[in-house]
Amino acid sequence: MRKRLHTRQATFRQLEVFREVAERLSVTDAARVLHLAQPTVSTQLTRLAQALDAQLFEQIGKKLYLTDVGEELLTTSRELFEVLDRLEMRLAQRAGLAVGRLRLGVVTTAKYLVPGLLGPFCKSHPQVEVEFQVGNRAEIRRRLQDNLDDLYVFSHPPRELDIELTLLTENPLVVIAPSEHPLARRKRVRWDELAGERWLMREQGSGTRHAIERHCEAQGLRLDNPITIASNEAIKESVAAGLGMAILSRLALTHMAPGNLVELPVEGFPIANSWYLVVPRGKQLSPIAEAFKHYLLSELGAAA
Ligand code: PGA
């Protein structure tokens, strides 16, 4: 008779090591995160592959790839550890402790919004361990699809996925220019007065870029030959240095921006935009994720 999986001596530790390697596709990086020597990681992987009687990775050239079995095992390991995490948190709750891991995935503009709320939350829940992932819309969408985090903040939630979303607050997109720009002191600026300006734009996959493109298309506006810069911070620095103009989240402008930037009062702007809290439909939130969700919604007020 075929042996059942759990009787084949694969251990949680092996699965944990496997998951770290599989998510990074690098033994070296996983060893560093796990504080283990590389040979120890390799041994754990070999034992796990033997226990399952299957190959989990393929090495082609210098790159590591997951086999189909490896992909299956990665999905199962994530589910398994999520369940174990929830168990750990429930046990801690029974003991009256608010402990556990809170995993957040937020788009880059929301990194100006969420930390200010996370600070006080962590103060009142000192035992909570936070994993805060920041990426552009496409990167955070992938994390959501792979079910890697508890809660997500998007301004353009991927509505094609099965999600629940709640409006958090507004995220207007504004035109920014260096403060010495000839139009900087004007009360009103027409779009056609910006003809000939050089524009700095976020990369493909960015929600900010997506919103700007949609707005320009709807209004019949053109941004000719934009320069692509894949970071809000680098865009702010470049605008301040006189490289061109940009359209960014107003919060990006007010947070840690170089002093010599202004918002231009351009007709038709700001572009209306909002942030949403996103949870995969049917996801069982851990008690701490549930607590953070309520806290976010009560602080930002849009939930009521
Ligand atoms: P992003 O963030 O431009 O980094 O994708 C965007 C958003 O607000 O959707």
Side-chain angles (χ1 to χ4, degrees):
M1 202 176 90
R2 199 171 154 72
K3 262 186 163 182
R4 301 283 308 275
L5 193 58
H6 59 273
T7 60
R8 288 195 221 168
Q9 293 179 338
T11 66
F12 284 138
R13 184 58 170 160
Q14 287 164 2
L15 286 174
E16 189 185 19
V17 168
F18 163 77
R19 187 186 57 165
E20 294 297 344
V21 176
E23 282 180 348
R24 292 171 175 75
L25 292 174
S26 160
V27 172
T28 317
D29 292 354
R32 200 180 43 244
V33 173
L34 291 161
H35 305 292
L36 292 176
Q38 279 191 39
T40 312
V41 171
S42 303
T43 308
Q44 298 276 20
L45 292 180
T46 309
R47 290 209 183 122
L48 180 61
Q50 282 166 352
L52 298 179
D53 195 16
Q55 194 180 342
L56 304 175
F57 294 98
E58 268 166 4
Q59 172 121 23
I60 300 176
K62 287 199 168 148
K63 276 189 105 177
L64 209 54
Y65 296 88
L66 277 171
T67 60
D68 288 350
V69 176
E71 292 278 4
E72 281 292 339
L73 187 61
L74 177 58
T75 307
T76 306
S77 311
R78 283 176 181 152
E79 288 166 0
L80 190 64
F81 285 110
E82 211 181 308
V83 172
L84 289 175
D85 278 353
R86 278 207 301 274
L87 171 66
E88 202 177 328
M89 286 186 232
R90 276 202 301 269
L91 294 182
Q93 260 199 334
R94 289 171 75 104
L97 299 169
V99 300
R101 191 171 305 148
L102 173 63
R103 285 165 303 202
L104 303 174
V106 312
V107 290
T108 65
T109 54
K111 78 170 182 229
Y112 307 107
L113 174 78
V114 178
L117 295 159
L118 199 50
F121 181 81
C122 288
K123 265 205 188 113
S124 53
H125 300 81
Q127 310 230 38
V128 173
E129 215 179 290
V130 180
E131 281 179 22
F132 189 61
Q133 302 285 342
V134 180
N136 70 19
R137 178 179 187 271
E139 290 160 348
I140 299 302
R141 184 190 184 284
R142 258 196 308 278
R143 295 189 65 84
L144 168 66
Q145 208 164 12
D146 290 345
N147 189 25
L148 295 185
D149 306 296
D150 300 313
L151 302 170
Y152 302 85
V153 179
F154 281 92
S155 52
H156 300 276
R159 292 171 194 261
E160 67 283 8
L161 301 181
D162 197 13
I163 54 174
E164 280 169 24
L165 51 95
T166 316
L167 178 65
L168 287 177
T169 186
E170 291 179 355
N171 171 30
L173 302 181
V174 299
V175 178
I176 63 167
S179 40
E180 71 275 12
H181 192 283
L183 297 173
R185 287 165 191 278
R186 290 269 297 280
K187 288 232 158 32
R188 205 93 208 111
V189 176
R190 290 193 320 277
W191 178 258
D192 59 16
E193 292 178 277
L194 303 180
E197 290 290 345
R198 193 167 30 207
W199 290 94
L200 313 182
M201 277 276 257
R202 289 284 307 281
E203 73 287 1
Q204 290 291 351
S206 145
T208 307
R209 181 176 181 132
H210 174 74
I212 296 169
E213 286 176 345
R214 262 200 339 206
H215 176 80
C216 288
E217 206 180 295
Q219 305 294 319
L221 310 178
R222 287 176 49 182
L223 296 180
D224 290 330
N225 303 321
I227 299 177
T228 299
I229 301 182
S231 140
N232 295 327
E233 268 57 49
I235 288 183
K236 288 190 282 186
E237 293 295 335
S238 306
V239 172
L243 196 60
M245 285 193 182
I247 303 169
L248 279 190
S249 164
R250 184 179 276 153
L251 209 55
L253 177 64
T254 50
H255 264 67
M256 286 182 267
N260 44 347
L261 287 179
V262 288
E263 175 183 337
L264 279 193
V266 180
E267 275 173 8
F269 283 82
I271 303 175
N273 213 24
S274 302
W275 280 296
Y276 296 87
L277 181 68
V278 172
V279 185
R281 193 179 300 281
K283 183 171 174 83
Q284 284 214 41
L285 287 181
S286 66
I288 206 71
E290 198 66 68
F292 187 65
K293 179 179 165 190
H294 280 113
Y295 167 77
L296 256 192
L297 297 183
S298 64
E299 285 299 306
L300 292 174

